[in-house]
Amino acid sequence: MKRLAPLLATAGLIATTLSQLAVPQASAAQSAPGYMSQKPAWHRCSADKPATYECAALKVPLDYKRPQGPMIDLAISRVKSENPAKRHGVMLLNPGGPGTTGLHRPMRMSTEMPKDVRDRYDLIGFDPRGVGASSPITCGLNHTETGIGGAYRPERFASDVAWARSVADKCREKAGDVLPYITTRNTARDMDVIRAALGERKVSYLGYSYGTYLGAVYSQMFPQRTDRFVLDSAVDPHRIWRGMYQVWATSSGPAFERWTHWAAERSAEYGLGATPEAVSDTFWALVARADREPIDYFGQKITGDDIRDPGVFYSPVEASIITRSIKAAAERTPLPADAGVPEVKRLLAGGRGATRPDTDTAAATAPGNGPAAAAAPGDNATAAYWSVVCGDTDNWPRDPEQYARDAVQDKVKYPLYGDFASNIKPCAFWQRPLEAATPMTHQAKVLTVQNEWDPMTPLSSGQGLHRALKGSRMVLAKGGQGHGVYLTDPTSCANDPVKTYLTTGRLPAGDVTCQSPPRGQEPKGSSAP
């Protein structure tokens, strides 16, 4: 089962002076009145888009410590509130990433938000620095170089190391003077430039996936500028970034076990085994068989590594359909009637690691990205992804053999994905970060939102962000599954608490746990455990 788009990677700090930790708001404005006082020249984004969808460009310093140095473009967009009497302010939007364009978000969210929420904000989108229409970067990578690596295998580890080193070298050669500044902290500073350009004292924010970490960093760097923040499907700031790969391995076990019970209860329908142990045996037998000889599956050869996709098991229905289909293909028996469902098609959509995973795959193709974003280099998303993942922290081991040792150990502990998660990445050879990671020390009265069964930012990750942000509240959708909660899942029980917060600004008195139906198709009369 091909990799579910992972989103992210691990944590670390480097020694630096206190003056490096943040650019104070007041001094930033005083030392660079030009970029802090600019006003956007709004225009219609595109003739084929509504006139209410407006775009503009700002200039921001490449290096905020050198405000008079090179400047880069920052593309922004907006859809204004149509109810001035109810308008509260502006809401910045981020769909995830890193490396994902966000210009389209205002147009998309303006149609999805409840009117009570929509009336209160001008919705502001932006392409983060280095992405899409915001001075896009490139490493000159070809298609085969834009993956995130595969499972650890001793016989091919040397080629894995060569791939990781080559990506880092190409990025350094092609854009080494820019990449060190494509970081979360600098994107947070850009957000504050947007706030100033819009003439707002504070900003509200809705961020998903990687966008939760970006929002958390902003809340720590600019606590006095932070208004109503919703952080949905969260990255644990103590796991950035290698630990975010590894959390997929540690969290896959409970999801897999839940699936085996679910499928066993429906053995008559799926034929995978009448007990959880039998279902597990069926799965691992398929993995072993595909490792010995790849299985011909809809005209493609899949290996055991292809089948070990931890994200699939967060949806018992999806996992059962796919596993049953692979079993039929391996046994050369007729495929089930539902073998052509979208879940199976996703499995066949390219080789493992062939393309860089996005946390919001809809973002790249959503309407409203505009011609500038479409003209970004082909490897732009990958280049920006590694810039953030490798450049935010310095906790990546520099010894390739450490990755091999970790992968061997973690495959034993977490057989589904441990060796994938701990295998070598380009960050092993990346330039040293210019700043330390952002400490989470300020009070942050923000709302975090989480599904219980999220495959990309698992529950433990969401709980980690909630713990790190002192003063935050968490809305947990028990039984909710899938990546993204607010408005992503129209049936989620979390939608109402988020709506109340965004319309009133009042956080819940305490954390909220509600019961939400599992997202996605379930067999009639059944429910996930």
Side-chain angles (χ1 to χ4, degrees):
M1 301 164 198
K2 294 289 190 230
R3 132 179 330 114
L4 174 81
L7 149 126
L8 311 155
T10 170
L13 302 173
I14 55 174
T16 183
T17 63
L18 290 177
S19 63
Q20 289 177 307
L21 293 179
V23 174
Q25 299 151 27
S27 63
Q30 293 166 2
S31 63
Y35 73 75
M36 289 301 288
S37 61
Q38 61 188 310
K39 299 300 176 187
W42 295 107
H43 59 273
R44 187 171 183 170
C45 291
S46 174
D48 63 342
K49 302 297 184 295
T52 54
Y53 175 53
E54 301 176 295
C55 289
L58 301 173
K59 294 287 185 181
V60 295
L62 175 65
D63 179 1
Y64 276 88
K65 296 183 184 66
R66 294 189 297 149
Q68 307 306 324
M71 307 293 282
I72 59 175
D73 293 324
L74 191 66
I76 63 175
S77 61
R78 76 174 178 186
V79 175
K80 296 177 69 175
S81 167
E82 296 179 354
N83 192 333
K86 286 189 174 181
R87 182 185 180 276
H88 172 73
V90 300
M91 178 187 289
L92 272 63
L93 307 170
N94 183 278
T100 301
T101 179
L103 281 181
H104 69 288
R105 295 302 281 187
M107 190 168 68
R108 176 173 169 179
M109 298 301 285
S110 66
T111 63
E112 295 177 353
M113 281 184 169
K115 190 174 187 306
D116 281 353
V117 177
R118 176 68 195 85
D119 285 347
R120 284 169 167 77
Y121 302 96
D122 295 346
L123 302 180
I124 308 297
F126 64 102
D127 280 355
R129 58 170 48 212
V131 175
S134 293
S135 295
I137 59 173
T138 177
C139 293
L141 303 176
N142 60 43
H143 179 71
T144 60
E145 293 171 322
T146 56
I148 64 164
Y152 170 79
R153 298 276 181 174
E155 65 273 16
R156 67 177 184 224
F157 185 64
S159 64
D160 291 344
V161 172
W163 161 77
R165 189 188 299 275
S166 175
V167 170
D169 287 348
K170 282 191 172 185
C171 287
R172 188 178 300 109
E173 292 166 6
K174 189 79 173 179
D177 56 341
V178 175
L179 295 187
Y181 304 99
I182 308 300
T183 63
T184 299
R185 285 177 63 81
N186 278 329
T187 300
R189 292 174 177 125
D190 295 342
M191 287 170 55
D192 204 55
V193 174
I194 296 173
R195 174 202 60 76
L198 298 176
E200 299 289 335
R201 189 175 64 88
K202 291 186 174 185
V203 292
S204 295
Y205 178 82
L206 173 59
Y208 294 86
S209 197
Y210 164 71
T212 64
Y213 180 61
L214 174 59
V217 168
Y218 184 91
S219 77
Q220 299 303 298
M221 294 179 68
F222 304 97
Q224 303 307 315
R225 308 296 193 193
T226 300
D227 196 4
R228 304 172 186 178
F229 270 45
V230 175
L231 308 180
D232 189 314
S233 306
V235 170
D236 184 345
H238 295 129
R239 288 182 177 267
I240 58 133
W241 281 116
R242 194 178 184 220
M244 283 306 299
Y245 280 99
Q246 293 170 324
V247 76
W248 298 328
T250 59
S251 297
S252 62
F256 183 85
E257 183 178 357
R258 167 179 176 251
W259 166 67
T260 63
H261 284 81
W262 192 95
E265 293 171 359
R266 296 157 181 81
S267 59
E269 182 173 359
Y270 293 103
L272 300 176
T275 66
E277 294 76 15
V279 173
S280 179
D281 289 345
T282 297
F283 173 79
W284 288 111
L286 286 171
V287 170
R289 180 168 182 168
D291 278 339
R292 291 192 304 271
E293 180 182 355
I295 296 171
D296 188 340
Y297 190 57
F298 286 87
Q300 293 190 29
K301 299 290 187 180
I302 60 171
T303 68
D305 290 346
D306 296 323
I307 299 172
R308 290 190 292 129
D309 182 348
V312 167
F313 298 99
Y314 287 79
S315 168
V317 171
E318 182 173 325
S320 299
I321 291 173
I322 292 179
T323 305
R324 179 177 60 178
S325 298
I326 294 174
K327 182 173 181 287
E331 296 171 350
R332 294 180 172 84
T333 58
L335 292 171
D338 57 4
V341 298
E343 290 83 356
V344 174
K345 294 178 181 177
R346 283 202 298 273
L347 169 64
L348 300 172
R352 181 178 287 277
T355 58
R356 182 202 155 268
D358 288 312
T359 53
D360 181 4
T361 52
T365 56
N369 285 347
D379 71 334
N380 174 234
T382 302
Y385 176 82
W386 290 126
S387 296
V388 172
V389 166
C390 302
D392 271 359
T393 66
D394 194 32
N395 71 328
W396 290 93
R398 298 288 166 167
D399 176 12
E401 291 304 317
Q402 182 65 53
Y403 293 90
R405 291 191 293 269
D406 291 349
V408 169
Q409 293 172 2
D410 287 349
K411 186 173 185 179
V412 174
K413 295 179 185 175
Y414 317 110
L416 201 61
Y417 200 69
D419 54 329
F420 281 96
S422 292
N423 202 5
I424 196 163
K425 305 293 185 289
C427 304
F429 306 105
W430 210 258
Q431 297 147 282
R432 297 283 183 179
L434 298 178
E435 292 188 89
T438 305
M440 301 286 147
T441 56
H442 292 288
Q443 285 279 317
K445 295 183 177 180
V446 305
L447 190 66
T448 69
V449 190
Q450 188 71 34
N451 272 333
E452 181 181 12
W453 297 103
D454 183 331
M456 297 170 67
T457 50
L459 177 57
S460 62
S461 177
Q463 291 168 330
L465 179 69
H466 174 41
R467 287 193 301 269
L469 292 180
K470 302 173 181 64
S472 66
R473 296 288 186 269
M474 183 177 191
V475 179
L476 170 61
K478 290 282 289 183
Q481 65 186 42
H483 189 50
V485 187
Y486 180 61
L487 304 181
T488 307
D489 180 0
T491 69
S492 176
C493 63
N495 287 327
D496 282 345
V498 175
K499 175 184 174 182
T500 298
Y501 171 62
L502 289 177
T503 53
T504 67
R506 294 192 299 271
L507 285 170
D511 293 342
V512 175
T513 298
C514 59
Q515 189 65 42
S516 193
R519 194 167 80 194
Q521 177 189 3
E522 296 286 347
K524 184 178 292 185
S526 69
S527 62

